[in-house]
């Protein structure tokens, strides 16, 4: 096991750390990336980081030079034109492209560059758009332009020698191509025409797959342009002139295409993926012959030599760059890229490639070597890491999923959340690469459609659907990544997901589905004694502060008036403390006798009374959807809404729940911590009518927090009280976490059903003190170490009141502090 740096350097020392550069990797991290501190950043495929000296140089440049709009004749404008011209040359030099053969067009990003190709390409009914399955969505989007013009589109898989990076190493005859079904929209007329050979076709592939890290052979450029039948076969699709697009947004940092050897027609670059800053700037490198074929429709300021407003006349500019750069270019960003290129040129691309490859190779080996205590493998890597292709031909991206000892999958979102708690930033999902995702995860079209029908979309929490992963975990390295980053990541995987011999998996309890509760014929002996109700808290307005009471009436929705109101932004967004921490400063109190809700805020001079019975504050009624529940809500007048807008510092409106109706749930089995209670009436709660917390469980958690603090593993000491978890009910008595095993319970003579554990989120890490909000990784990080169940971090239990349809205003329908609590374990 290569777990120490000495062993790592013994194998990778010649490639790691820039030994021949002015600064080695340790100096670079110490001087240029001090902001990382204890943070491990492993999402360089998404966006790499800018250095401090780079930004100092940019700031000095912008504060000492006057840059004017380049569409002018002033001295400052001329100076800007010179800088832009130099920047174009730098981009071409980076890809070894001659100015006589290529032009550099600046765009608002790599996606805009791809869009430009799609909309300006000379598509016809005889054209073909061919692309590899492993392509970014921004490349797949070109398909829309092709299909709309009557062209055909189809994906291909390229195996074996086709995945070598850079120069050709094996015979191109070993390339194996699998063609996917043909896509066509305008069939009429297309099938009747024989290809004339004059059509223009486009083939697109990435220099490096942003999902697997595999590098495609640049020999594909020559093969497609000179002998397309080798890829397409002897068919009508091989006819015509084939042009090639390389998506180098990911691969350009470690392997920019050498366009003097591989004369692609289009190459797409993203600068923030190269050196972190600036964002919102990309480039399209275009071969001169290809530019002449592009069809420009729209014209704008900067792209025309002359136009007449009231007749159909426009004369376009002759310069390629001027013709395709609509509007004013982002000239300040363009001026900044030279400072980024200076960093890369100082280190050299080859040294960066060797450095990042050493780290990715090390991590791949470590992940593949991991075993659970029962001998089963922990990690499934995606890509051809175990094929005949040398592992060093893979890029700096590693995508994988993790398995439990029983062979089931850990969800990728679980990995991401736990990594964040450990100070590790990575990425999960499909990374906008649906073809690679489906290919490597083994998802059929039926699987993908079934996942969509089940409600799964990009960036959601549905990481396992029908027992299969919907995405993967991805780590990627940049030029400033270190061995220490890699080791901390491996240590995190081992400590969080690897089960040792005779050690249970990272679960504390396996709950069965809650059973319906009936009080009829139930004997007192089924209940366990020794518990009592210590506090009752009502939270009238969702995410605002609650208030404690000695006794309180029950209703069909739980505690009367609990989460009966919420705040909504002018755009329709439901406001919570996650997005608006100031909501915690709004205090509430209901005078049950006067039937008035009183609201106060340190930002408002007056206390706001809201009559619970009067219609004087009401605005109109409307329907609203929240958590798959449809609510009828009542609005308030401007006076109330202005008060709350002042209290939170942004425009909002107050809404009150009139009625609700459940209409959809993805998980019909109500698996633990996943789905809301769907059998009872709910106000604006997240999951259930009640949340119950045990004082003994809080005490155990605080003991663990203190122990972790003493070990120095969790930062400064922290202690939490039950209110950190926003419970409705706090009980005392029994052993810590005894509530986990409860099926039903009685409080006084009221009956409740346990719906399982409450899945905790980052909200419990917000500490509100003296009007300030402080955020740390605790207590969620400690809870994650011992309270995980199938990807959920559970603390406290959710309850449903079983006699909600019988409640009234008599004292028999009230809860009272001090009442005995009788759990049922059967």
């Amino acid at each position: 096991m290569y777990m120490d740096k000495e062993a790592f350097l013994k194998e990778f020392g010649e490639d790691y750390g820039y030994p021949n550069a002015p600064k080695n990797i340790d100096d670079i991290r110490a001087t240029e990336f001090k902001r990382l501190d204890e943070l491990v950043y492993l999402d360089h495929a998404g966006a790499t980081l800018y250095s401090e000296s780079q930004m100092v140089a940019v700031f000095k440049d912008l504060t000492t030079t006057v840059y004017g709009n380049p569409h002018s004749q002033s001295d400052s404008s001329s100076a800007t034109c010179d800088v832009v011209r130099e920047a174009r040359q730098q981009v071409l030099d980076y890809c070894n492209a001659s100015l006589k053969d290529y032009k550099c067009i600046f765009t608002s990003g790599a996606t805009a560059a791809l869009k430009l190709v799609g909309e300006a390409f000379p598509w016809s009914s005889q054209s073909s758009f061919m692309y590899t399955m492993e392509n970014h969505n921004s490349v797949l989007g070109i398909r829309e332009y092709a299909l709309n013009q009557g062209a055909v589109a189809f994906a291909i898989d390229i195996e074996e020698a086709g995945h070598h990076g850079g120069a050709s190493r094996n015979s191109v005859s070993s390339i194996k191509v699998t063609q996917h079904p043909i896509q066509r929209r305008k069939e009429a007329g297309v099938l009747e025409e024989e290809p004339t050979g004059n059509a223009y076709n486009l083939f697109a592939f990435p220099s490096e797959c942003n999902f697997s890290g595999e590098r495609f052979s640049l020999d594909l450029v020559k093969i497609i342009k000179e002998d397309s039948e080798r890829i397409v076969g002897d068919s009508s699709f091989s006819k015509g002139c084939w042009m090639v697009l390389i998506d180098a947004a990911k691969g350009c940092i470690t392997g920019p295409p050498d366009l003097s050897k591989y004369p692609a027609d289009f190459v797409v670059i993203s600068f923030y993926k190269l050196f972190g800053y600036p964002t919102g700037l990309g480039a399209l490198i275009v071969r001169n012959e290809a530019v002449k074929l592009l069809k420009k429709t729209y014209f704008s300021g900067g792209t025309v030599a002359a136009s007449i407003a009231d007749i159909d006349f426009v004369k376009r500019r002759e310069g390629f760059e001027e013709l395709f750069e609509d509007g004013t270019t982002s000239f300040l960003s363009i001026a900044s890229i030279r400072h980024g290129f200076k960093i890369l040129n100082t280190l050299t691309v080859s040294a960066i490639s060797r450095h990042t490859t050493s780290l990715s190779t090390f991590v791949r080996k470590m992940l593949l070597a991991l075993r659970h205590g029962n001998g089963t493998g922990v990690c499934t890597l995606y890509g051809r890491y175990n094929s005949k292709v040398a592992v060093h031909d893979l890029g700096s991206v590693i995508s994988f999923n993790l398995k439990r000892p029983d062979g089931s999958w850990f969800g990728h979102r679980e990995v991401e959340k736990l990594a964040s708690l450990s100070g590790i930033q990575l990425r999960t999902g499909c990374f906008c690469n649906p073809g690679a995702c489906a290919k490597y995860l083994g998802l059929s079209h039926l699987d993908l459609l079934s996942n969509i029908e089940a409600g799964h979309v990009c960036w959601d929490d549905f990481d396992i659907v029908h027992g299969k992963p919907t995405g993967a975990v991805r780590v990627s390295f940049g030029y400033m990544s270190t061995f220490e980053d890699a080791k901390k990541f491996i240590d995190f995987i081992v400590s969080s997901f690897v089960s040792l011999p005779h050690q249970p998996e990272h679960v504390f309890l396996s709950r069965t589905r809650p059973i319906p509760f009936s009080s009829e014929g139930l004997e007192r002996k089924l209940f366990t004694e020794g518990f009592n109700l210590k506090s009752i808290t009502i939270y009238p307005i969702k995410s605002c502060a609650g208030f404690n009471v000695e006794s309180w009436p029950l209703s069909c929705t739980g505690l009367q008036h609990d989460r009966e109101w919420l705040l909504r932004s002018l755009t329709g967004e439901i406001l919570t403390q996650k997005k608006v921490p100031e909501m915690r400063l709004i205090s509430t109190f209901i005078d049950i006798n006067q039937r008035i809700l009183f609201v106060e805020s340190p930002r408002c001079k007056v206390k706001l009374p809201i009559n619970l019975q009067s219609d004087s504050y009401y605005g109109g009624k409307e329907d609203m959807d929240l958590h798959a529940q449809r609510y009828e809500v009542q609005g308030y007048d401007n006076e109330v809404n202005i008060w709350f807008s002042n209290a939170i510092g942004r425009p909002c409106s107050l809404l009150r729940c009139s009625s609700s109706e459940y209409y959809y749930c993805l998980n019909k089995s109500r698996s633990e911590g996943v789905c809301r209670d769907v059998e009872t009436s709910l106000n604006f709660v997240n999951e259930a009518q009640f949340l119950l917390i045990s004082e003994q469980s809080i005490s155990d958690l605080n003991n663990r927090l203190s122990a972790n603090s003493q070990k120095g593993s969790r930062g400064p000491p922290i202690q939490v009280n039950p209110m950190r978890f926003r419970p409705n009910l706090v009980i005392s008595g029994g052993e810590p976490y005894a509530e986990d095993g409860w099926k039903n319970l009685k409080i006084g003579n009221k009956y409740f059903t346990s719906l399982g554990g409450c899945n905790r989120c980052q909200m419990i890490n917000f500490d509100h003190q003296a009007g300030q909000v402080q955020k740390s990784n605790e207590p969620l990080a400690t809870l994650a170490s011992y309270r995980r169940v199938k990807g959920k971090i559970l603390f406290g239990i959710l309850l449903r009141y079983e006699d909600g349809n019988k409640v009234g205003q008599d004292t028999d329908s009230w809860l009272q502090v001090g009442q005995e609590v009788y759990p049922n374990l059967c």
Side-chain angles (χ1 to χ4, degrees):
M1 298 289 284
Y2 303 86
M3 290 303 291
D4 61 86
K5 193 168 185 177
E6 183 178 350
F8 170 82
L9 292 175
K10 186 175 181 179
E11 181 173 357
F12 299 104
E14 293 184 3
D15 297 323
Y16 174 80
Y18 315 109
N20 300 319
K23 288 183 179 180
N24 63 30
I25 185 60
D26 294 329
D27 293 333
I28 290 173
R29 281 295 286 264
T31 59
E32 301 286 356
F33 297 93
K34 294 188 290 289
R35 66 186 184 277
L36 287 177
D37 195 19
E38 296 299 317
L39 184 69
V40 176
Y41 185 84
L42 298 176
D43 188 23
H44 296 275
T48 198
L49 304 175
Y50 50 80
S51 70
E52 291 185 20
S53 62
Q54 176 187 350
M55 297 311 296
V56 167
V58 170
F59 181 76
K60 182 179 179 180
D61 187 2
L62 298 183
T63 54
T64 58
T65 307
V66 178
Y67 290 109
N69 190 313
H71 298 160
S72 181
Q73 300 298 314
S74 66
D75 291 343
S76 60
S77 297
S78 297
T80 301
C81 291
D82 292 340
V83 169
V84 171
R85 190 179 304 109
E86 293 172 5
R88 295 191 203 278
Q89 188 62 57
Q90 277 189 300
V91 175
L92 294 177
D93 291 344
Y94 189 68
C95 293
N96 199 18
S98 169
L99 187 60
K100 68 180 179 65
D101 296 321
Y102 285 91
K103 294 293 184 287
C104 172
I105 299 170
F106 286 114
T107 63
S108 62
T111 295
L114 292 165
K115 181 173 181 287
L116 190 158
V117 174
E119 65 187 6
F121 194 82
W123 304 109
S124 73
S125 61
Q126 299 181 45
S127 296
S128 298
F129 176 47
M130 180 172 66
Y131 53 92
T132 57
M133 277 291 287
E134 290 126 309
N135 257 308
H136 196 278
N137 265 326
S138 297
V139 175
L140 300 188
I142 295 175
R143 182 176 63 191
E144 294 299 298
Y145 292 104
L147 295 178
N148 283 341
Q149 293 300 317
V152 299
F154 55 94
I156 61 172
D157 276 312
I158 299 179
E159 305 294 342
E160 295 306 320
H163 278 104
H164 285 283
S168 174
R169 299 182 185 180
N170 290 344
S171 171
V172 294
S173 62
S174 63
I175 291 178
K176 179 182 177 182
V177 176
T178 303
Q179 184 175 304
H180 290 257
I182 301 297
Q183 306 160 57
R184 179 184 282 113
R185 284 188 184 155
K186 296 183 178 180
E187 296 189 24
V190 175
L191 298 178
E192 301 172 2
E193 298 178 13
E194 276 296 320
T196 62
N198 296 324
Y200 290 98
N201 310 305
L202 181 64
F203 171 57
F205 72 98
S207 59
E208 181 180 321
C209 175
N210 75 321
F211 189 100
S212 66
E214 292 189 22
R215 293 171 175 164
F216 283 74
S217 172
L218 297 183
D219 282 323
L220 288 169
V221 176
K222 292 183 177 179
I223 296 173
I224 290 293
K225 294 179 75 66
E226 299 172 4
D227 189 11
S228 61
E229 291 185 6
R230 185 168 297 178
I231 299 296
V232 186
D234 186 12
S235 68
S236 60
F237 303 122
S238 64
K239 304 296 190 257
C241 176
W242 276 93
M243 310 184 82
V244 179
L245 181 154
I246 301 177
D247 176 10
K250 168 60 192 76
C252 217
I253 178 61
T254 55
D258 185 343
L259 296 181
S260 69
K261 296 181 179 179
Y262 308 101
D265 298 282
F266 310 99
V267 176
V268 173
I269 291 178
S270 177
F271 293 106
Y272 76 91
K273 292 183 185 290
L274 282 175
F275 31 72
Y277 180 87
T279 59
L281 183 69
L284 176 65
I285 301 176
V286 191
R287 204 161 62 93
N288 290 344
E289 288 81 356
V291 173
K292 298 174 184 177
L293 300 174
L294 297 182
K295 300 176 180 179
K296 189 72 163 60
T297 301
Y298 177 76
F299 70 87
S300 64
T303 65
V304 294
S307 65
I308 300 177
D310 56 350
I311 63 172
D312 183 11
F313 177 84
V314 59
K315 178 177 175 59
R316 301 176 186 270
R317 291 190 180 274
E318 296 181 357
F320 290 153
E321 299 94 339
E322 295 173 328
L323 180 62
F324 286 95
E325 290 175 346
D326 290 320
T328 301
T329 58
S330 184
F331 55 88
L332 295 182
S333 294
I334 294 172
S336 300
I337 67 174
R338 55 180 169 174
H339 305 295
F341 275 122
K342 182 178 179 181
I343 301 291
L344 301 189
N345 293 335
T346 299
L347 296 175
T348 75
V349 171
S350 61
I352 293 173
S353 180
R354 294 194 304 272
H355 173 78
T356 55
T357 297
S358 68
L359 292 171
S360 58
T361 302
F362 163 72
V363 170
R364 285 189 186 96
K365 287 185 176 182
M366 291 298 301
L367 290 175
L368 287 174
L370 294 179
R371 292 290 183 273
H372 289 296
N374 64 359
T376 59
V378 175
C379 184
T380 296
L381 265 64
Y382 301 117
R384 301 198 308 148
Y385 57 89
N386 58 356
S387 71
K388 297 178 181 179
V389 178
V391 73
H392 287 272
D393 282 341
L394 294 170
S396 60
V397 167
I398 306 168
S399 291
F400 62 92
N401 272 312
L402 302 172
K403 283 190 171 183
R404 297 183 172 88
D406 64 2
S408 62
W409 297 97
F410 286 104
H412 56 78
R413 285 287 289 131
E414 176 182 1
V415 180
E416 184 176 23
K417 291 175 183 177
L418 294 177
S420 181
L421 291 174
S422 298
I424 299 173
Q425 306 298 305
L426 45 76
R427 188 170 175 186
T428 65
C430 282
F431 325 122
C432 298
N433 195 326
C437 188
K439 173 181 176 178
Y440 290 114
L441 298 183
L443 298 174
S444 66
H445 291 164
L446 183 61
D447 291 329
L448 296 172
L449 293 173
S450 177
N451 290 350
I452 294 171
E453 290 174 0
H456 170 58
V457 295
C458 294
W459 305 333
D460 65 19
D461 283 341
F462 295 131
D463 48 14
I464 304 292
V465 178
H466 306 307
K468 292 183 179 182
T470 61
V473 182
R474 185 183 76 183
V475 296
S476 50
F477 297 96
Y479 75 80
M480 73 297 294
S481 299
T482 64
F483 166 79
E484 287 73 20
D485 292 335
K487 185 176 185 302
K488 287 179 182 178
F489 168 70
I490 293 296
D491 289 345
F492 156 71
I493 294 294
V494 171
S495 63
S496 301
F497 300 99
V498 179
S499 296
L500 301 177
H502 311 295
Q503 178 191 46
E505 186 197 346
H506 297 271
V507 300
F508 66 93
L509 180 67
S510 178
R511 287 292 309 274
T512 57
R513 178 178 176 179
I515 56 176
F517 181 79
S518 174
S519 60
E520 297 181 5
L522 185 66
E523 297 294 334
R524 173 83 172 238
K525 65 183 179 180
L526 293 179
F527 292 99
T528 303
E529 299 183 6
F531 300 90
N532 65 81
L533 184 60
K534 288 298 295 289
S535 71
I536 303 171
T537 307
I538 294 90
Y539 306 89
I541 305 175
K542 183 179 179 66
S543 270
C544 293
F547 64 97
N548 294 330
V549 295
E550 288 296 313
S551 61
W552 198 256
L554 294 166
S555 73
C556 62
T557 58
L559 290 168
Q560 193 173 85
H561 303 307
D562 186 57
R563 260 69 65 114
E564 196 168 309
W565 291 263
L566 57 71
L567 295 179
R568 185 175 68 182
S569 73
L570 297 186
T571 61
E573 179 184 24
I574 305 305
L575 301 181
T576 65
Q577 282 190 42
K578 286 183 181 179
K579 300 170 184 176
V580 189
E582 295 83 359
M583 294 180 69
R584 180 65 177 82
L585 303 178
I586 298 177
S587 61
T588 58
F589 174 72
I590 292 178
D591 188 316
I592 201 72
N593 295 317
Q594 296 186 57
R595 304 290 295 161
I596 295 177
L597 165 64
F598 293 99
V599 190
E600 292 185 272
S601 167
R603 295 185 171 187
C604 299
K605 295 181 179 179
V606 298
K607 179 188 298 187
L608 178 68
I610 299 178
N611 194 315
L612 303 186
Q613 294 178 315
S614 171
D615 291 339
S616 60
Y617 289 102
Y618 284 160
K621 289 186 177 182
E622 62 176 285
D623 290 334
M624 182 186 73
D625 292 342
L626 178 66
H627 299 311
Q629 195 106 359
R630 180 159 291 126
Y631 295 88
E632 183 180 88
V633 296
Q634 189 84 51
Y636 285 80
D637 63 14
N638 285 338
E639 182 181 351
V640 171
N641 295 333
I642 290 173
W643 190 97
F644 280 99
S645 298
N646 292 332
I648 66 172
R650 65 178 69 188
C652 66
S653 59
L654 180 69
L655 298 176
R656 184 181 186 181
C657 177
S658 299
S659 64
S660 65
E661 179 183 356
Y662 179 81
Y663 64 88
Y664 174 77
C665 181
L666 170 67
N667 193 329
K668 299 297 183 182
S669 64
R670 298 203 323 264
S671 60
E672 195 161 20
V674 171
C675 189
R676 286 159 52 88
D677 177 14
V678 300
E679 298 182 10
T680 47
S681 297
L682 299 175
N683 284 335
F684 298 124
V685 295
N686 289 338
E687 292 183 280
Q689 293 177 338
F690 302 85
L691 170 62
L692 180 146
I693 296 289
S694 159
E695 284 189 334
Q696 279 61 40
S697 300
I698 289 287
S699 178
D700 179 78
L701 170 59
N702 281 324
N703 289 338
R704 294 172 186 267
L705 289 168
S706 296
N708 288 334
S709 177
Q710 292 172 5
K711 294 176 184 177
S713 61
R714 302 290 190 196
I718 180 176
Q719 295 285 278
V720 297
N721 62 50
M723 291 302 106
R724 176 73 74 92
F725 299 89
R726 293 177 64 83
N728 296 112
L729 310 175
V730 178
I731 63 167
S732 67
E735 296 295 321
Y737 314 111
E739 65 273 15
D740 293 333
W742 297 353
K743 303 298 183 184
N744 322 110
L745 62 148
K746 286 174 58 179
I747 303 178
N749 61 353
K750 314 300 180 301
Y751 299 105
F752 301 83
T753 293
S754 171
L755 303 176
C758 179
N759 184 27
R760 311 312 313 205
C761 67
Q762 295 275 359
M763 271 298 300
I764 63 175
N765 289 340
F766 289 92
D767 185 20
H768 303 263
Q769 294 183 353
Q772 300 295 318
V773 179
Q774 296 180 338
K775 185 178 184 295
S776 68
N777 287 335
E778 294 293 1
L780 193 59
T782 292
L783 287 173
S785 68
Y786 73 107
R787 297 287 299 175
R788 279 166 53 206
V789 178
K790 298 293 185 182
K792 312 300 175 184
I793 303 172
L794 305 183
F795 191 76
I797 61 172
L798 302 169
L799 301 178
R800 176 174 66 229
Y801 181 40
E802 292 298 338
D803 288 344
N805 59 332
K806 303 176 184 177
V807 296
Q809 287 299 311
D810 56 277
T811 56
D812 191 50
S813 297
W814 290 52
L815 284 182
Q816 185 167 343
V817 171
Q819 286 179 321
E820 292 186 341
V821 178
Y822 302 100
N824 172 23
L825 304 179
C826 296

